[in-house]
Amino acid sequence: MHYLVTGGAGYIGSHTARHLLRPPGSRVTVVDSLVRGHRQAAERLQAADPGRGTFVQLDLRERPALADLMARVRPDAVLHFAAFTLVGESVSNPAMYWSCGVGGTSSLLEAMRAAGVPRLVFSSTAATYGAPERMPISEDTPQRPVNPYGASKLACEEIIRGEVEAARRERRDFSATMLRYFNVAGGSDDGLRGEDHAPETHLVPSALQAARGMRPALQLFGTDYPTPDGTCIRDYVHVEDLAAAHVDALHALRPGSCEAFNVGIGRGFSVREVLAECERAAGRPIPVEVAPRRDGDPPMLLSDPARIMSVLGWAPRHRTLGPMAESAWRWMQANPRGYAG
Ligand code: UFG
Protein backbone atom coordinates (compact mmCIF):
# COMPACT_ATOMS: atom_id res chain seq x y z
CA MET A 1 0.00 0.00 0.00
CA HIS A 2 1.13 3.54 -0.74
CA TYR A 3 -0.11 6.30 1.58
CA LEU A 4 0.07 10.03 1.06
CA VAL A 5 0.28 11.85 4.40
CA THR A 6 -0.38 15.60 4.39
CA GLY A 7 1.16 17.36 7.38
CA GLY A 8 3.35 14.30 7.85
CA ALA A 9 6.20 16.42 9.24
CA GLY A 10 4.01 17.61 12.12
CA TYR A 11 3.34 16.13 15.55
CA ILE A 12 0.52 13.64 14.92
CA GLY A 13 1.19 13.18 11.19
CA SER A 14 4.81 12.11 11.75
CA HIS A 15 3.84 9.53 14.39
CA THR A 16 1.14 8.11 12.12
CA ALA A 17 3.46 8.03 9.09
CA ARG A 18 5.85 5.83 11.10
CA HIS A 19 3.01 3.43 11.95
CA LEU A 20 2.03 3.24 8.28
CA LEU A 21 5.56 2.13 7.34
CA ARG A 22 5.47 -0.82 9.73
CA PRO A 23 4.01 -3.44 7.37
CA PRO A 24 6.77 -4.64 5.05
CA GLY A 25 6.40 -3.23 1.56
CA SER A 26 4.21 -0.26 2.48
CA ARG A 27 5.26 3.18 1.25
CA VAL A 28 4.59 6.69 2.51
CA THR A 29 4.83 10.03 0.72
CA VAL A 30 4.82 12.91 3.19
CA VAL A 31 3.56 16.26 1.91
CA ASP A 32 4.21 19.22 4.19
CA SER A 33 4.64 22.97 3.66
CA LEU A 34 7.09 23.08 6.61
CA VAL A 35 5.37 26.25 7.83
CA ARG A 36 4.77 24.41 11.12
CA GLY A 37 6.16 20.96 10.33
CA HIS A 38 9.82 19.93 10.72
CA ARG A 39 12.07 18.81 7.89
CA GLN A 40 13.93 16.66 10.43
CA ALA A 41 10.73 14.75 11.25
CA ALA A 42 10.35 13.83 7.57
CA GLU A 43 14.06 12.97 7.34
CA ARG A 44 13.80 10.64 10.34
CA LEU A 45 10.99 8.84 8.57
CA GLN A 46 13.07 8.48 5.41
CA ALA A 47 16.04 7.29 7.44
CA ALA A 48 13.92 4.68 9.24
CA ASP A 49 13.41 2.83 6.02
CA PRO A 50 15.29 4.23 3.03
CA GLY A 51 13.38 3.94 -0.20
CA ARG A 52 9.96 3.56 1.41
CA GLY A 53 9.48 7.08 2.78
CA THR A 54 9.48 10.13 0.49
CA PHE A 55 9.14 13.80 1.38
CA VAL A 56 7.68 16.54 -0.82
CA GLN A 57 7.56 20.16 0.37
CA LEU A 58 4.27 21.62 -0.82
CA ASP A 59 1.38 23.76 0.40
CA LEU A 60 -1.87 21.98 -0.44
CA ARG A 61 -3.24 25.21 -1.88
CA GLU A 62 -0.70 24.98 -4.73
CA ARG A 63 -3.34 23.24 -6.79
CA PRO A 64 -1.50 22.37 -10.04
CA ALA A 65 1.54 21.04 -8.16
CA LEU A 66 -0.66 18.97 -5.84
CA ALA A 67 -2.67 17.59 -8.77
CA ASP A 68 0.59 16.60 -10.52
CA LEU A 69 1.90 14.89 -7.40
CA MET A 70 -1.35 13.02 -6.82
CA ALA A 71 -1.46 11.82 -10.41
CA ARG A 72 2.18 10.68 -10.19
CA VAL A 73 1.94 8.93 -6.81
CA ARG A 74 -1.63 7.59 -7.15
CA PRO A 75 -1.71 6.56 -3.49
CA ASP A 76 -4.11 3.92 -2.22
CA ALA A 77 -5.20 6.32 0.52
CA VAL A 78 -4.62 9.83 1.86
CA LEU A 79 -4.28 10.74 5.53
CA HIS A 80 -4.91 14.45 5.88
CA PHE A 81 -3.28 16.18 8.90
CA ALA A 82 -2.03 19.44 7.36
CA ALA A 83 -3.61 22.34 9.25
CA PHE A 84 -2.98 25.12 11.73
CA THR A 85 -4.10 23.85 15.12
CA LEU A 86 -4.03 26.59 17.74
CA VAL A 87 -7.40 27.74 19.04
CA GLY A 88 -6.14 31.14 20.27
CA GLU A 89 -4.37 31.87 17.00
CA SER A 90 -7.55 31.01 15.09
CA VAL A 91 -9.45 33.62 17.10
CA SER A 92 -6.91 36.33 16.28
CA ASN A 93 -6.39 35.25 12.65
CA PRO A 94 -9.55 33.52 11.40
CA ALA A 95 -8.87 34.03 7.69
CA MET A 96 -5.61 32.09 7.98
CA TYR A 97 -7.49 29.14 9.51
CA TRP A 98 -10.30 29.15 6.94
CA SER A 99 -7.88 29.54 4.04
CA CYS A 100 -5.55 26.76 5.14
CA GLY A 101 -8.28 24.42 6.40
CA VAL A 102 -10.97 24.78 3.78
CA GLY A 103 -8.64 25.87 0.95
CA GLY A 104 -6.19 23.03 1.59
CA THR A 105 -8.88 20.40 2.04
CA SER A 106 -10.87 21.32 -1.07
CA SER A 107 -7.70 21.42 -3.17
CA LEU A 108 -6.78 17.98 -1.80
CA LEU A 109 -10.23 16.55 -2.58
CA GLU A 110 -10.10 17.87 -6.15
CA ALA A 111 -6.69 16.32 -6.70
CA MET A 112 -7.88 13.01 -5.21
CA ARG A 113 -10.96 13.00 -7.41
CA ALA A 114 -8.93 13.74 -10.57
CA ALA A 115 -6.44 10.96 -9.79
CA GLY A 116 -9.14 8.49 -8.65
CA VAL A 117 -7.75 8.10 -5.11
CA PRO A 118 -10.46 6.25 -3.20
CA ARG A 119 -9.76 6.54 0.56
CA LEU A 120 -9.36 9.45 3.02
CA VAL A 121 -8.78 9.66 6.76
CA PHE A 122 -9.27 13.20 8.03
CA SER A 123 -7.79 14.74 11.14
CA SER A 124 -10.72 16.45 12.86
CA THR A 125 -11.12 17.68 16.41
CA ALA A 126 -13.25 17.75 19.52
CA ALA A 127 -13.24 21.51 18.96
CA THR A 128 -16.02 20.91 16.39
CA TYR A 129 -18.34 20.20 19.36
CA GLY A 130 -17.64 23.55 21.03
CA ALA A 131 -18.52 23.55 24.72
CA PRO A 132 -21.39 21.09 25.20
CA GLU A 133 -23.01 20.93 28.61
CA ARG A 134 -23.59 17.19 28.67
CA MET A 135 -20.61 14.87 29.15
CA PRO A 136 -19.31 12.56 27.85
CA ILE A 137 -19.37 13.74 24.24
CA SER A 138 -20.57 11.15 21.75
CA GLU A 139 -20.45 11.47 17.97
CA ASP A 140 -24.16 12.39 18.09
CA THR A 141 -23.53 15.43 20.30
CA PRO A 142 -24.45 18.50 18.19
CA GLN A 143 -21.39 20.15 16.65
CA ARG A 144 -21.46 23.83 17.64
CA PRO A 145 -17.88 25.11 17.42
CA VAL A 146 -17.01 28.20 19.43
CA ASN A 147 -13.86 29.29 17.58
CA PRO A 148 -12.63 29.51 13.96
CA TYR A 149 -10.37 26.47 14.41
CA GLY A 150 -13.33 24.23 15.28
CA ALA A 151 -15.59 25.93 12.74
CA SER A 152 -13.14 25.47 9.87
CA LYS A 153 -12.59 21.79 10.78
CA LEU A 154 -16.36 21.29 10.84
CA ALA A 155 -16.60 22.92 7.40
CA CYS A 156 -13.94 20.47 6.16
CA GLU A 157 -16.00 17.57 7.54
CA GLU A 158 -19.02 18.87 5.60
CA ILE A 159 -17.06 19.20 2.35
CA ILE A 160 -15.73 15.65 2.75
CA ARG A 161 -19.21 14.30 3.50
CA GLY A 162 -20.50 16.03 0.37
CA GLU A 163 -17.73 14.47 -1.74
CA VAL A 164 -18.60 10.99 -0.47
CA GLU A 165 -22.28 11.56 -1.29
CA ALA A 166 -21.43 12.89 -4.77
CA ALA A 167 -19.22 9.86 -5.41
CA ARG A 168 -22.02 7.55 -4.27
CA ARG A 169 -24.45 9.17 -6.72
CA GLU A 170 -21.92 8.93 -9.54
CA ARG A 171 -20.97 5.36 -8.58
CA ARG A 172 -17.36 6.35 -7.99
CA ASP A 173 -15.42 4.55 -5.26
CA PHE A 174 -14.68 7.11 -2.54
CA SER A 175 -14.91 6.82 1.24
CA ALA A 176 -13.75 8.84 4.22
CA THR A 177 -13.38 8.68 7.97
CA MET A 178 -13.17 11.66 10.29
CA LEU A 179 -11.29 11.22 13.56
CA ARG A 180 -12.19 13.82 16.17
CA TYR A 181 -9.25 14.02 18.53
CA PHE A 182 -9.49 15.08 22.14
CA ASN A 183 -6.23 16.16 23.87
CA VAL A 184 -3.10 14.49 22.57
CA ALA A 185 0.15 14.06 24.52
CA GLY A 186 3.37 12.04 24.66
CA GLY A 187 6.17 11.06 22.31
CA SER A 188 7.06 8.02 20.24
CA ASP A 189 8.09 4.71 21.77
CA ASP A 190 11.50 4.92 20.02
CA GLY A 191 12.16 8.46 21.31
CA LEU A 192 12.64 9.85 17.78
CA ARG A 193 9.44 11.87 17.57
CA GLY A 194 7.66 14.23 19.92
CA GLU A 195 5.88 17.51 20.34
CA ASP A 196 7.72 20.56 18.94
CA HIS A 197 5.56 23.65 18.51
CA ALA A 198 6.68 27.28 18.40
CA PRO A 199 5.25 28.83 20.41
CA GLU A 200 4.41 25.89 22.67
CA THR A 201 0.99 26.36 24.27
CA HIS A 202 -0.05 22.81 25.16
CA LEU A 203 -0.20 21.78 28.76
CA VAL A 204 2.17 18.78 28.96
CA PRO A 205 5.15 20.21 27.03
CA SER A 206 4.66 23.63 28.66
CA ALA A 207 4.74 22.03 32.12
CA LEU A 208 7.85 20.01 31.24
CA GLN A 209 9.56 23.13 29.89
CA ALA A 210 8.88 24.77 33.26
CA ALA A 211 10.36 21.68 34.97
CA ARG A 212 13.56 22.11 32.92
CA GLY A 213 13.75 25.84 33.63
CA MET A 214 13.05 26.67 29.98
CA ARG A 215 10.24 28.96 31.16
CA PRO A 216 9.97 30.58 34.57
CA ALA A 217 6.72 28.82 35.55
CA LEU A 218 3.72 27.00 34.18
CA GLN A 219 0.83 29.41 34.03
CA LEU A 220 -2.23 27.62 35.39
CA PHE A 221 -5.19 29.12 33.58
CA GLY A 222 -8.03 29.25 36.10
CA THR A 223 -8.59 27.56 39.44
CA ASP A 224 -12.25 28.55 39.85
CA TYR A 225 -13.89 26.15 37.40
CA PRO A 226 -16.87 24.06 38.60
CA THR A 227 -14.69 20.91 38.84
CA PRO A 228 -13.50 19.00 41.94
CA ASP A 229 -10.13 20.81 42.16
CA GLY A 230 -11.21 23.98 40.32
CA THR A 231 -9.07 23.34 37.21
CA CYS A 232 -10.19 22.25 33.72
CA ILE A 233 -10.71 18.59 32.93
CA ARG A 234 -9.61 17.07 29.62
CA ASP A 235 -9.44 13.62 28.05
CA TYR A 236 -5.81 12.85 27.09
CA VAL A 237 -4.85 10.25 24.49
CA HIS A 238 -1.28 9.02 23.91
CA VAL A 239 0.00 10.06 20.48
CA GLU A 240 1.02 6.45 19.68
CA ASP A 241 -2.53 5.27 20.45
CA LEU A 242 -3.90 8.06 18.25
CA ALA A 243 -1.56 7.00 15.42
CA ALA A 244 -2.83 3.43 15.79
CA ALA A 245 -6.43 4.71 15.52
CA HIS A 246 -5.60 6.04 12.03
CA VAL A 247 -4.37 2.64 10.91
CA ASP A 248 -7.54 1.02 12.30
CA ALA A 249 -9.66 3.64 10.51
CA LEU A 250 -7.89 2.94 7.21
CA HIS A 251 -8.50 -0.78 7.49
CA ALA A 252 -12.20 -0.25 8.21
CA LEU A 253 -12.91 2.01 5.22
CA ARG A 254 -15.46 0.45 2.88
CA PRO A 255 -16.56 1.75 -0.54
CA GLY A 256 -19.00 4.61 -0.02
CA SER A 257 -18.63 4.78 3.78
CA CYS A 258 -18.39 8.12 5.60
CA GLU A 259 -18.00 7.91 9.36
CA ALA A 260 -16.80 9.99 12.28
CA PHE A 261 -15.21 8.73 15.49
CA ASN A 262 -14.12 10.40 18.69
CA VAL A 263 -10.60 9.56 19.76
CA GLY A 264 -10.14 9.89 23.51
CA ILE A 265 -9.83 7.37 26.30
CA GLY A 266 -13.06 8.29 28.06
CA ARG A 267 -11.34 9.43 31.27
CA GLY A 268 -10.87 12.97 32.43
CA PHE A 269 -7.86 14.48 34.21
CA SER A 270 -7.68 17.93 35.73
CA VAL A 271 -4.85 20.35 34.99
CA ARG A 272 -3.56 19.81 38.53
CA GLU A 273 -3.56 16.03 38.00
CA VAL A 274 -1.60 16.46 34.77
CA LEU A 275 0.91 18.69 36.56
CA ALA A 276 1.37 16.10 39.33
CA GLU A 277 2.08 13.41 36.70
CA CYS A 278 4.53 15.70 34.89
CA GLU A 279 6.35 16.32 38.19
CA ARG A 280 6.57 12.56 38.75
CA ALA A 281 7.93 11.98 35.24
CA ALA A 282 10.48 14.79 35.54
CA GLY A 283 11.42 13.88 39.11
CA ARG A 284 11.34 17.51 40.17
CA PRO A 285 8.80 20.15 41.17
CA ILE A 286 7.18 22.35 38.53
CA PRO A 287 6.91 26.04 39.40
CA VAL A 288 3.30 27.13 38.90
CA GLU A 289 1.82 30.60 38.61
CA VAL A 290 -1.95 30.83 38.93
CA ALA A 291 -3.33 32.96 36.09
CA PRO A 292 -6.83 34.02 35.01
CA ARG A 293 -8.94 31.68 32.89
CA ARG A 294 -7.86 31.44 29.25
CA ASP A 295 -10.56 32.68 26.86
CA GLY A 296 -12.60 29.89 25.31
CA ASP A 297 -11.52 27.04 27.62
CA PRO A 298 -14.59 24.92 28.51
CA PRO A 299 -14.48 23.49 32.08
CA MET A 300 -14.64 19.88 30.89
CA LEU A 301 -14.21 17.94 27.64
CA LEU A 302 -14.67 14.21 27.95
CA SER A 303 -15.00 11.75 25.10
CA ASP A 304 -17.34 8.79 24.85
CA PRO A 305 -15.06 6.38 22.93
CA ALA A 306 -17.63 3.54 22.72
CA ARG A 307 -18.09 3.90 18.98
CA ILE A 308 -14.44 3.72 17.92
CA MET A 309 -13.91 0.81 20.28
CA SER A 310 -16.85 -1.22 19.03
CA VAL A 311 -16.76 -0.36 15.30
CA LEU A 312 -13.00 -0.10 14.69
CA GLY A 313 -11.90 -2.36 17.54
CA TRP A 314 -9.52 0.40 18.70
CA ALA A 315 -8.34 0.15 22.29
CA PRO A 316 -5.80 2.54 23.77
CA ARG A 317 -2.68 0.87 25.18
CA HIS A 318 -2.36 3.73 27.65
CA ARG A 319 -5.25 4.64 29.95
CA THR A 320 -3.27 6.71 32.42
CA LEU A 321 -1.26 9.91 32.20
CA GLY A 322 2.03 8.32 33.33
CA PRO A 323 3.24 6.99 29.95
CA MET A 324 2.26 10.23 28.21
CA ALA A 325 4.22 12.41 30.65
CA GLU A 326 7.17 9.98 30.72
CA SER A 327 7.54 9.69 26.94
CA ALA A 328 7.12 13.47 26.56
CA TRP A 329 9.86 13.98 29.20
CA ARG A 330 12.21 11.50 27.49
CA TRP A 331 11.70 13.32 24.18
CA MET A 332 12.34 16.71 25.76
CA GLN A 333 15.43 15.56 27.64
CA ALA A 334 16.92 14.13 24.45
CA ASN A 335 15.77 17.05 22.25
CA PRO A 336 15.53 20.18 24.40
CA ARG A 337 15.40 22.36 21.30
CA GLY A 338 13.01 20.01 19.53
CA TYR A 339 13.93 18.74 16.07
CA ALA A 340 16.25 21.69 15.49
CA GLY A 341 18.54 20.45 18.27
N1 UFG B 1 -3.37 24.98 30.36
C1 UFG B 1 -2.80 25.70 31.40
N2 UFG B 1 -1.58 26.26 31.17
C2 UFG B 1 -0.91 26.16 29.99
C3 UFG B 1 -1.50 25.42 28.95
C4 UFG B 1 -2.73 24.85 29.17
O1 UFG B 1 -3.37 25.82 32.47
O2 UFG B 1 0.19 26.72 29.87
C5 UFG B 1 -4.68 24.34 30.56
C6 UFG B 1 -5.73 24.88 29.62
O3 UFG B 1 -6.35 26.01 30.19
C7 UFG B 1 -6.66 23.68 29.45
C8 UFG B 1 -5.73 22.47 29.60
O4 UFG B 1 -4.56 22.98 30.24
O5 UFG B 1 -7.58 23.67 30.50
C9 UFG B 1 -5.35 21.85 28.27
O6 UFG B 1 -4.88 22.89 27.42
P1 UFG B 1 -4.13 22.60 26.04
O7 UFG B 1 -3.73 23.93 25.48
O8 UFG B 1 -3.05 21.60 26.24
O9 UFG B 1 -5.24 21.92 25.12
P2 UFG B 1 -6.71 22.43 24.76
O10 UFG B 1 -7.66 21.62 25.58
O11 UFG B 1 -6.85 23.90 24.85
O12 UFG B 1 -6.78 22.12 23.20
C10 UFG B 1 -6.72 20.81 22.69
C11 UFG B 1 -6.03 20.84 21.35
C12 UFG B 1 -6.81 21.66 20.37
C13 UFG B 1 -8.21 21.16 20.29
C14 UFG B 1 -8.83 21.03 21.64
C15 UFG B 1 -10.09 20.27 21.50
O13 UFG B 1 -4.74 21.35 21.49
O14 UFG B 1 -6.21 21.58 19.10
O15 UFG B 1 -8.01 20.30 22.54
O16 UFG B 1 -10.96 20.62 22.44
F1 UFG B 1 -8.95 22.00 19.57
Side-chain angles (χ1 to χ4, degrees):
M1 297 292 273
H2 194 155
Y3 305 105
L4 189 138
V5 181
T6 78
Y11 175 43
I12 301 165
S14 64
H15 284 77
T16 305
R18 186 71 194 98
H19 278 236
L20 294 171
L21 273 185
R22 279 184 187 161
S26 63
R27 285 188 294 155
V28 169
T29 296
V30 164
V31 179
D32 200 298
S33 68
L34 297 185
V35 171
R36 294 282 158 91
H38 304 278
R39 182 178 294 281
Q40 296 88 340
E43 284 170 357
R44 285 179 190 190
L45 183 78
Q46 288 174 304
D49 216 320
R52 295 209 290 135
T54 308
F55 170 60
V56 179
Q57 184 174 355
L58 186 73
D59 187 309
L60 298 183
R61 289 165 291 181
E62 294 171 41
R63 289 177 188 239
L66 180 65
D68 278 358
L69 178 71
M70 197 69 76
R72 212 162 7 95
V73 174
R74 284 195 185 277
D76 296 289
V78 171
L79 294 98
H80 177 30
F81 298 91
F84 294 121
T85 60
L86 298 176
V87 171
E89 186 181 57
S90 79
V91 175
S92 40
N93 199 344
M96 175 172 139
Y97 274 68
W98 284 97
S99 164
C100 170
V102 172
T105 301
S106 52
S107 168
L108 179 71
L109 287 165
E110 282 173 8
M112 289 177 71
R113 183 198 278 233
V117 178
R119 306 272 176 272
L120 174 68
V121 177
F122 175 61
S123 174
S124 190
T125 169
T128 59
Y129 294 113
E133 273 168 24
R134 287 184 56 189
M135 292 294 140
I137 298 171
S138 79
E139 289 80 359
D140 300 327
T141 298
Q143 289 174 289
R144 296 195 187 107
V146 292
N147 52 58
Y149 170 61
S152 61
K153 283 283 187 183
L154 179 57
C156 293
E157 285 198 9
E158 285 170 11
I159 300 169
I160 292 167
R161 213 177 287 283
E163 277 294 314
V164 174
E165 280 162 17
R168 228 181 266 153
R169 283 194 301 273
E170 294 160 18
R171 299 181 191 283
R172 277 186 290 116
D173 179 12
F174 182 65
S175 55
T177 293
M178 270 78 81
L179 296 182
R180 297 178 186 148
Y181 316 155
F182 283 65
N183 289 60
V184 189
S188 67
D189 294 338
D190 60 11
L192 291 175
R193 278 159 285 277
E195 215 165 335
D196 180 1
H197 299 117
E200 188 52 79
T201 63
H202 292 125
L203 178 60
V204 171
S206 301
L208 296 178
Q209 284 181 350
R212 293 188 90 254
M214 294 163 68
R215 59 174 77 196
L218 184 280
Q219 288 206 302
L220 200 174
F221 298 133
T223 53
D224 58 350
Y225 283 97
T227 59
D229 68 12
T231 67
C232 288
I233 291 176
R234 295 285 182 273
D235 182 333
Y236 295 84
V237 60
H238 195 295
V239 67
E240 292 281 38
D241 283 328
L242 178 56
H246 289 80
V247 177
D248 293 341
L250 265 178
H251 291 157
L253 279 165
R254 296 286 170 265
S257 67
C258 187
E259 300 209 64
F261 298 100
N262 288 343
V263 197
I265 65 171
R267 266 184 86 178
F269 296 95
S270 73
V271 175
R272 283 204 191 281
E273 286 173 317
V274 174
L275 291 179
E277 210 54 59
C278 288
E279 287 188 330
R280 248 193 297 280
R284 57 184 85 164
I286 293 175
V288 170
E289 186 186 299
V290 172
R293 291 182 180 196
R294 189 170 67 176
D295 275 350
D297 274 343
M300 182 188 282
L301 289 172
L302 192 58
S303 150
D304 174 355
R307 192 145 189 271
I308 188 168
M309 288 177 165
S310 64
V311 178
L312 298 189
W314 176 79
R317 264 195 308 146
H318 305 293
R319 291 170 188 272
T320 55
L321 291 170
M324 300 184 214
E326 286 154 21
S327 58
W329 179 247
R330 270 198 310 279
W331 159 256
M332 195 176 282
Q333 286 291 77
N335 306 272
R337 293 180 54 233
Y339 287 100

